[in-house]
Amino acid sequence: MEEADFSRLLADLLAESHRLGPGDLPGRVRTAAQAVGMSDAVIFLSDLQQIRLVPLPDGLRHGEGTAQQGAAETGVAVDGSLAGWAYRTGTVQLSSGSDLVLWLPLVDGVERLGVLRLTASALESATLEQCKSLASLTGQLIAAKSRFGDLVSRLTRSKPMLLQAELAWAFMPPRTIGCPEATSSAILEPAYEIGGDAFDHTLTPTALHMAVIDAMGHDLASGLCAAVAMAGSRSTRRSGGDLADIASTVDAALKRWLPDRLLTGVFADLALATGALTWVNRGHPPPMIIRRQHVVHGALERPVQLPLGLPSDHEERPRAVVHHAQLEPGDRLLIHTDGVTEARSATGELFGENRLIDSIIRAAAAGEPAPEALRRLVRAILAHHNGHLADDATILLAEWHPVLEAGR
């Protein structure tokens, strides 16, 4: 297809997309793919736990029809398949047989969504570039349309979700965000049964803000406690408050609305331009720095203040202490809850900090991006615990990769 015609094709698809539902996308993307010479196109989305890639059915509208919860048990395995390799590495993969099969990553920003499978009898380099552009637009449309119906959520779940888990996921951002200077990725298990863990990360004009929260208990009140903490953090941040203000707001909210609940947490800011790290730690495991494939032992260990929400006879509580450190280009920052290191095997053996560190360092040495490093780490934690965790396990891995001036 001529470049001018292809540009009009994408423009028409984008214009039409404003009134499309999630179930309309497979047919529209297939039509666009056929216009550039493909014989077929199928959208595959990652399930919630990133175990399988599930085909998005054609002809469904707004979650109706045959898309049933549990569909995530079908599809293509993320591990051990060409489709999974495209998803895991973010690269285009091609297989040949009676037809050429092209697997292209589907992303929203730097968040991995799934893959697009295109089939053709032949493929020219110019057509390949058009296919990449179509996949790029498809990822953006999926991300936008998934908010307007339950189709994607139903399709990518393998079982019903507990009420407190539904509450927690409703508050959490995409698992991976990024900009030229920094990337942050987080993962949380058990995905369908989480109680009090939560993570947050967002980009401001000057900083990457991160938070990892661990609320006491594993019931609906635990999920509510984490949700209150997330809301308090965001409200304070968006009103111009600093990290100490965030801790004070969350502490006061818990004292007023959930007086019998407490939580631990790390709230941090990473300056995008300089790599200056500031953080508050309220009763939480200390963050870690991974530098040049080694943990900088003790780099972020500081006296830890008490958890948030503890009863107090005093109206004025001690203000949170803000700590400071300096990252180097390429450093990775690891924040986790105690459910990661305290996961036990059937024989009672802890997963432990050494296994956690070893997994992250091996991923860094292999050049794995943060999202894939965390996906593999969580699979290892679950395998250690026979597939089911007794406590929530949350991990956030951020990397500072500044854009250096030429010649530096």
Side-chain angles (χ1 to χ4, degrees), residues 154-216:
R154 290 167 63 90
L155 187 73
T156 56
R157 295 182 183 184
S158 60
K159 59 182 178 180
M161 184 172 286
L162 294 184
L163 204 58
Q164 58 264 33
E166 193 75 62
L167 175 65
W169 282 114
F171 270 84
M172 280 184 279
R175 285 176 298 206
T176 305
I177 63 171
C179 65
E181 296 85 6
T183 303
S184 177
S185 190
I187 200 161
L188 198 162
E189 285 285 352
Y192 296 92
E193 302 162 2
I194 52 175
D197 275 18
F199 67 84
D200 195 15
H201 47 202
T202 191
L203 290 163
T204 74
T206 60
L208 168 65
H209 174 81
M210 299 156 283
V212 172
I213 294 164
D214 184 358
M216 177 184 70

Side-chain angles (χ1 to χ4, degrees), residues 2 49 56 67 110 135 162 166 211 219 221 232 281 305 349 369 400:
E2 295 293 331
Q49 295 176 294
L56 182 61
V110 292
L162 294 184
E166 193 75 62
D219 53 14
N281 188 338
Q305 291 186 283
E349 183 184 7
W400 185 50

Side-chain angles (χ1 to χ4, degrees), residues 286-290 332-336 356 360 395-397:
M288 292 185 283
I289 293 177
I290 296 95
R332 286 183 168 185
L333 174 71
L334 178 68
I335 309 173
H336 66 88
L356 170 64
I360 294 298
I395 314 166
L396 184 147
L397 185 62

Side-chain angles (χ1 to χ4, degrees), residues 215-288:
M216 177 184 70
H218 301 90
D219 53 14
L220 182 58
S222 303
L224 182 59
C225 184
V228 168
M230 297 272 280
S233 174
R234 290 172 181 173
S235 174
T236 305
R237 184 183 73 233
R238 292 165 182 171
S239 299
D242 60 17
L243 296 174
D245 294 328
I246 288 174
S248 296
T249 299
V250 174
D251 197 37
L254 294 177
K255 180 181 178 182
R256 179 178 181 184
W257 301 110
L258 294 162
D260 297 326
R261 294 284 171 161
L262 58 87
L263 61 80
T264 68
V266 170
F267 304 90
D269 284 329
L270 172 62
L272 297 175
T274 66
L277 177 69
T278 54
W279 77 99
V280 165
N281 188 338
R282 299 301 298 262
H284 206 77
M288 292 185 283

Side-chain angles (χ1 to χ4, degrees), residues 34-262:
Q34 289 172 341
V36 300
M38 301 293 105
S39 58
D40 194 21
V42 180
I43 296 169
F44 287 77
L45 301 179
S46 168
D47 76 310
L48 182 62
Q49 295 176 294
Q50 302 181 83
I51 298 172
R52 305 194 70 78
L53 295 165
V54 187
L56 182 61
D58 198 357
L60 300 181
R61 294 182 56 83
H62 313 295
E64 300 173 353
T66 59
Q68 300 296 321
Q69 193 165 58
E73 296 177 340
T74 63
V76 181
V78 169
D79 290 303
S81 70
L82 199 60
W85 187 251
Y87 173 81
R88 292 162 53 196
T89 62
T91 58
V92 178
Q93 298 298 316
L94 178 66
S95 64
S96 59
S98 57
D99 284 315
L100 295 175
V101 179
L102 191 64
W103 299 96
L104 302 103
L106 295 176
V107 298
D108 175 29
V110 292
E111 168 79 331
R112 305 185 298 184
L113 302 177
V115 292
L116 177 63
R117 186 186 71 191
L118 299 177
T119 307
S121 57
L123 186 65
E124 298 179 355
S125 58
T127 305
L128 175 59
E129 293 306 311
Q130 292 175 348
C131 291
K132 291 179 181 179
S133 297
L134 178 59
S136 180
L137 179 57
T138 300
Q140 297 295 311
L141 294 181
I142 291 169
K145 294 304 174 181
S146 62
R147 303 195 305 268
F148 302 130
D150 290 338
L151 174 59
V152 172
S153 294
R154 290 167 63 90
L155 187 73
T156 56
R157 295 182 183 184
S158 60
K159 59 182 178 180
M161 184 172 286
L162 294 184
L163 204 58
Q164 58 264 33
E166 193 75 62
L167 175 65
W169 282 114
F171 270 84
M172 280 184 279
R175 285 176 298 206
T176 305
I177 63 171
C179 65
E181 296 85 6
T183 303
S184 177
S185 190
I187 200 161
L188 198 162
E189 285 285 352
Y192 296 92
E193 302 162 2
I194 52 175
D197 275 18
F199 67 84
D200 195 15
H201 47 202
T202 191
L203 290 163
T204 74
T206 60
L208 168 65
H209 174 81
M210 299 156 283
V212 172
I213 294 164
D214 184 358
M216 177 184 70
H218 301 90
D219 53 14
L220 182 58
S222 303
L224 182 59
C225 184
V228 168
M230 297 272 280
S233 174
R234 290 172 181 173
S235 174
T236 305
R237 184 183 73 233
R238 292 165 182 171
S239 299
D242 60 17
L243 296 174
D245 294 328
I246 288 174
S248 296
T249 299
V250 174
D251 197 37
L254 294 177
K255 180 181 178 182
R256 179 178 181 184
W257 301 110
L258 294 162
D260 297 326
R261 294 284 171 161
L262 58 87

